[in-house]
């Protein structure tokens, strides 16, 4: 099928809206129509070259959408299901996933390659294979991703809000709950109250912090 996506062809150049030829999902893969996508600072690092992913690449890794088609072997998702993408895949079966450390999933080692798990690409433009930011590429109307990158959600959750769960919410939450290990009664200072900081505040509060101090130059 044909779709459209924002492609980065070279560092320090603008995103280019391109018509993309999208292959059907292969085994263990899912075709998703993207309803909403956020944009993270990490995606800007693609443009500057601070994240040296292989180019050309479809950007952005924070999205939500509706499943259109599933590949062979995908049994837990069906067309019509609503999903949020996880910027780190979680297969649920590797040693890390099976011991509760999904952030260290073996498939995460493939993030920098920007391709499918089998090393091939489902996205093509101008005669070239396209990479995907975090194996997702949500700056597009449609994408094909591995099932390990999908989290099924209730269909009544607004997708324009749900997409933020793919990066900003979990990153901010995790910075308080997991990185800082906030405990009941703690006093917590959050420096910078943008998308990440706002969710760090929520994480700290729900972890039991007694005081949360928000520090930001914008009153």
């Amino acid at each position: 099928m044909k779709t459209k996506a924002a492609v980065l062809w070279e560092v320090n150049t603008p995103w280019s809206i391109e018509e993309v030829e999208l292959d059907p999902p292969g085994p263990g893969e899912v075709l998703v129509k993207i309803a909403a996508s956020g944009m993270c600072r990490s995606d800007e690092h693609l443009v500057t070259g601070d994240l040296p992913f292989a180019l050309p690449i479809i950007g952005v890794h924070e999205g939500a959408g509706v499943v259109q088609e599933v590949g062979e072997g995908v049994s837990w998702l069906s067309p019509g299901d609503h999903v949020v993408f996880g910027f780190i895949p979680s297969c649920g079966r590797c040693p890390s996933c099976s011991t509760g450390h999904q952030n260290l999933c073996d498939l995460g080692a493939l993030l920098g390659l920007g391709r499918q798990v089998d090393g091939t690409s489902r996205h093509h433009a101008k005669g070239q294979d396209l990479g995907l930011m975090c194996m997702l590429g949500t700056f597009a109307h449609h994408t094909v991703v591995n099932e390990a990158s999908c989290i099924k959600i209730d269909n009544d959750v607004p997708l324009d809000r749900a997409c933020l769960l793919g990066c900003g919410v979990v990153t901010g939450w995790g910075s308080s709950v997991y990185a800082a290990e906030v405990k009941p009664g703690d006093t917590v200072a959050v420096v910078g109250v943008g998308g990440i900081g706002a969710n760090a505040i929520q994480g700290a509060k729900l972890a039991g912090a007694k005081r949360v101090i928000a520090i930001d130059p914008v009153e």
Side-chain angles (χ1 to χ4, degrees), residues 133-152:
M133 175 63 164
C134 291
M135 302 167 68
L136 297 173
T138 65
F139 249 19
H141 292 173
H142 302 81
T143 191
V144 171
V145 302
N146 191 275
E147 62 177 325
S149 295
C150 296
I151 300 97
K152 185 177 176 180

Side-chain angles (χ1 to χ4, degrees), residues 15 40-46 51 53 57-62 87 111 114 131-138:
W15 296 99
C40 177
R41 187 71 180 181
S42 299
D43 300 296
E44 177 65 13
H45 293 330
L46 287 178
L51 272 179
F53 284 21
I57 191 170
I58 299 173
V60 188
H61 59 286
E62 189 177 56
F87 71 93
L111 288 180
L132 302 174
M133 175 63 164
C134 291
M135 302 167 68
L136 297 173
T138 65

Side-chain angles (χ1 to χ4, degrees), residues 26-48:
E29 298 170 2
V30 183
L31 168 65
V32 179
K33 182 178 181 180
I34 297 173
S37 180
M39 189 172 186
C40 177
R41 187 71 180 181
S42 299
D43 300 296
E44 177 65 13
H45 293 330
L46 287 178
V47 178
T48 61

